[in-house]
């Protein structure tokens, strides 16, 4: 049974207290076997039963849980780098979408791609995300928008789960936007989602969550409510892309439908925040999307003060957030979202795990959870985010196996 010793600080990040409480243990040790954590505590309190085990030296580094990227659109065809330049010249994300770019251009490219092509591309992304210390991710469909192409994306994720050691949670996002065939027949597309897509997704057990993009350019709250309620009947837990570009009642709807999380929220209303706090909805901040779309950043502090737990994720996708650098998301979460570094660590570990229902199995360093942990060559969490240097990893462990270096 391996024992990691000589840890300057081990941040357990257990789900207690408030956002700022990450429960550091100084001069700690960590014991695991068969991919599961067996013990954490002060090194000088290591139980006798572990004292003759094989030791590893953390060389005075700090230990944190593996990062959880709780919001990605991992499988997609093509890229949209031309839109990056269009935005630099002053065109907005919405204008580009109205002119046929945006989500619909990725829909076209994703429909044209084969399942194997999408799988190979996703695998490459996932390998690189692991090098950023990500050990669990959430992946959404939403670039197919036909029964067949939504299933194709979800089949990619099912295969990814079989191949990868990472923990993967899956979200059905058939309601990402209206496909070109249905722009003048919104009712027809909603019926397709409810009567054809959802039953098939449930039958093949392809998703944990059902997500809807509530926005002027996508679905109204009433349409989203109908889809999320239908999803619930198939056992899919609601999630929402809410209040990103305009305040459209997304946060209120998340509370009303019992969503596990409401994501984006840059334009969230006071009432929306209050309702989320009462209903226990997790807020997911996606600051890389604000960076690339030149939109305001979510003020995470306002949510924390209202009693809403905040997670931070990348939103990795080819349009609004073409980077899977979770360290960048953390830096922006601090500098623009007003999170303290300690709060930000909780946002990418236990609260991110909660936002995708994975908190019973991972997200904190506690006995019985997956042995997903990172050894960082820095004095504390604050220094790590401040210096923003991906090279500071001493070790990365995924399910108890060393995957870096
Ligand atoms: O989370 N807001 C909607 N969906 C994505 C963007 C997808 C895209 O631009 O392709 C988001 O930002
Ligand atoms: Fe998104």
């Amino acid at each position: 049974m391996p024992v990691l010793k000589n840890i300057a600080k081990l941040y357990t990040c257990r789900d207690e207290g408030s956002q700022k409480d990450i429960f550091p243990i100084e001069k700690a040790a960590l014991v695991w076997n068969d991919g599961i954590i067996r013990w954490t505590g002060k090194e000088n309190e290591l139980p006798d039963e572990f004292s003759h085990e094989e030791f590893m030296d953390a060389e005075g580094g700090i230990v944190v849980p593996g990062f959880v990227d709780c919001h990605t659109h991992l499988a997609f065809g093509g890229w949209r780098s031309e839109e990056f330049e269009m935005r630099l010249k002053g065109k907005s994300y919405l204008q580009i979408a109205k002119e046929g770019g945006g989500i619909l251009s990725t829909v076209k490219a994703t429909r044209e791609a084969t399942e194997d092509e999408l799988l190979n591309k996703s695998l490459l992304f996932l390998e690189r995300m692991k090098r950023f210390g990500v050990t669990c991710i959430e992946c959404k469909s939403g670039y197919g928008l036909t029964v067949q192409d939504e299933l194709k994306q979800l089949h990619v994720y099912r295969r990814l789960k079989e191949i990868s050691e990472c923990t993967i949670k899956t979200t059905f996002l058939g309601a990402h936007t209206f496909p070109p065939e249905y722009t003048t027949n919104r009712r027809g597309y909603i019926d397709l989602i409810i009567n054809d897509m959802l039953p098939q997704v449930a039958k093949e057990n392809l998703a944990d969550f059902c997500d809807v993009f509530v926005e002027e350019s996508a679905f109204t709250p009433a349409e989203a409510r109908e889809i999320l309620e239908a999803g619930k009947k198939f056992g899919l837990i609601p999630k929402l892309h809410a209040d990103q570009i305009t305040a459209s009642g997304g946060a209120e709807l998340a509370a009303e439908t019992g969503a596990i999380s409401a994501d984006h929220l840059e334009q969230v209303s006071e009432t929306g925040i209050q309702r989320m706090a009462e209903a226990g909805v997790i807020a997911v901040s996606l600051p890389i999307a604000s960076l690339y779309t030149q939109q305001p950043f979510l003020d995470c502090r306002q949510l924390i003060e209202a009693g809403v737990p905040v997670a931070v994720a990348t939103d990795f996708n080819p349009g609004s957030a073409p980077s899977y650098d979770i360290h960048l998301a953390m830096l922006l979460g601090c500098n623009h979202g007003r999170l303290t570094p300690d709060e930000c660590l909780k946002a990418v570990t236990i609260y991110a795990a909660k936002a995708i229902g994975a908190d019973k199995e991972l997200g904190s360093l506690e006995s019985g959870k997956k042995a997903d942990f990172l050894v960082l060559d820095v004095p504390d969490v604050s220094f790590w985010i401040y210096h923003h240097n991906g090279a500071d990893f001493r070790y990365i462990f995924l399910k108890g196996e060393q995957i870096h270096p």
Side-chain angles (χ1 to χ4, degrees):
M1 203 175 297
V3 180
L4 183 67
K5 282 186 170 181
N6 197 11
I7 303 167
K9 269 188 204 133
L10 178 145
Y11 298 89
T12 59
C13 296
R14 60 179 189 269
D15 185 22
E16 286 170 33
S18 65
Q19 181 109 19
K20 67 177 189 330
D21 299 313
I22 52 175
F23 304 103
I25 305 172
E26 302 212 349
K27 300 201 173 101
L30 171 67
V31 184
W32 71 98
N33 76 348
D34 295 335
I36 302 291
I37 296 172
R38 302 299 172 189
W39 188 86
T40 57
K42 282 196 164 293
E43 191 179 315
N44 61 12
E45 291 169 11
L46 186 71
D48 281 347
E49 57 180 305
F50 305 127
S51 59
H52 301 293
E53 301 291 348
E54 145 203 1
F55 291 114
M56 273 194 76
D57 190 350
E59 297 168 52
I62 66 165
V63 175
V64 299
F67 298 139
V68 177
D69 194 345
C70 67
H71 183 136
T72 84
H73 304 249
L74 191 75
F76 54 83
W79 284 98
R80 283 165 26 215
S81 59
E82 66 288 353
E83 293 181 10
F84 174 58
E85 291 210 25
M86 287 161 86
R87 283 195 302 273
L88 295 179
K89 287 181 189 139
K91 274 218 168 132
S92 75
Y93 181 79
L94 275 187
Q95 265 176 307
I96 294 169
K98 280 184 192 140
E99 289 167 17
I103 295 173
L104 287 181
S105 90
T106 299
V107 168
K108 185 168 179 293
T110 306
R111 287 178 179 179
E112 283 164 7
T114 66
E115 188 180 307
D116 281 349
E117 282 164 355
L118 294 175
L119 177 71
N120 290 335
K121 195 168 159 186
S122 303
L123 259 175
L124 191 69
F125 294 148
L126 194 57
E127 280 310 307
R128 292 178 185 161
M129 290 164 103
K130 275 157 64 179
R131 287 190 224 153
F132 283 104
V134 172
T135 50
C136 170
I137 73 165
E138 181 262 12
C139 306
K140 298 178 198 294
S141 69
Y143 287 130
L145 311 188
T146 64
V147 176
Q148 187 196 332
D149 291 298
E150 282 298 299
L151 290 177
K152 179 171 71 179
Q153 269 192 286
L154 294 172
H155 288 153
V156 167
Y157 299 144
R158 183 169 64 191
R159 286 169 70 188
L160 216 52
K161 275 192 206 182
E162 290 161 7
I163 299 170
S164 175
E165 287 300 313
C166 280
T167 305
I168 296 171
K169 300 282 173 187
T170 315
T171 300
F172 167 65
L173 178 60
H176 199 185
T177 191
F178 287 86
E181 316 82 82
Y182 284 96
T183 34
T184 56
N185 178 14
R186 294 172 79 93
R187 186 67 244 167
Y189 187 60
I190 294 165
D191 287 342
L192 185 76
I193 292 176
I194 294 176
N195 301 328
D196 296 277
M197 293 183 185
L198 280 171
Q200 197 60 36
V201 169
K203 189 171 151 220
E204 294 188 44
N205 196 15
L206 289 171
D208 308 291
F209 305 102
C210 179
D211 193 344
V212 180
F213 184 21
V214 177
E215 189 58 64
E216 260 172 35
S217 62
F219 292 78
T220 66
E223 291 166 342
R225 180 182 294 110
E226 190 182 347
I227 293 164
L228 294 175
E229 291 298 339
K232 280 204 242 180
K233 296 203 178 104
F234 288 102
L236 301 185
I237 300 164
K239 267 187 175 284
L240 275 161
H241 277 70
D243 304 314
Q244 179 184 10
I245 300 161
T246 51
S248 34
E252 289 86 337
L253 184 64
E256 179 198 320
T257 55
I260 195 164
S261 75
D263 304 29
H264 280 294
L265 297 168
E266 292 83 351
Q267 307 295 335
V268 67
S269 70
E270 288 281 344
T271 319
I273 294 177
Q274 221 39 61
R275 299 263 159 83
M276 283 176 67
E278 287 155 14
V281 182
I282 311 264
V284 179
S285 176
L286 304 166
I288 295 179
S290 299
L291 180 73
Y292 277 95
T293 58
Q294 297 147 344
Q295 297 284 318
F297 289 85
L298 174 63
D299 181 7
C300 303
R301 170 119 334 271
Q302 198 192 353
L303 285 134
I304 292 171
E305 279 166 9
V308 179
V310 176
V312 168
T314 62
D315 195 18
F316 177 54
N317 73 72
S320 65
S323 164
Y324 42 69
D325 183 345
I326 195 147
H327 311 174
L328 174 61
M330 291 171 81
L331 179 64
L332 295 170
C334 290
N335 265 332
H336 289 280
R338 298 204 293 147
L339 291 172
T340 67
D342 289 4
E343 289 170 337
C344 192
L345 181 65
K346 211 153 174 178
V348 294
T349 57
I350 190 68
Y351 286 170
K354 287 184 94 166
I356 52 172
D359 52 307
K360 296 285 173 285
E361 48 181 317
L362 50 84
S364 62
L365 299 176
E366 293 176 276
S367 166
K369 289 207 174 177
K370 288 186 184 171
D372 295 347
F373 59 90
L374 319 173
V375 184
L376 306 175
D377 195 11
V378 290
D380 54 35
V381 175
S382 180
F383 188 92
W384 191 75
I385 298 177
Y386 143 82
H387 188 39
H388 187 59
N389 174 5
D392 285 337
F393 286 104
R394 184 160 288 152
Y395 300 115
I396 300 176
F397 279 83
L398 174 57
K399 288 193 189 147
E401 297 295 326
Q402 185 182 328
I403 59 163
H404 170 85

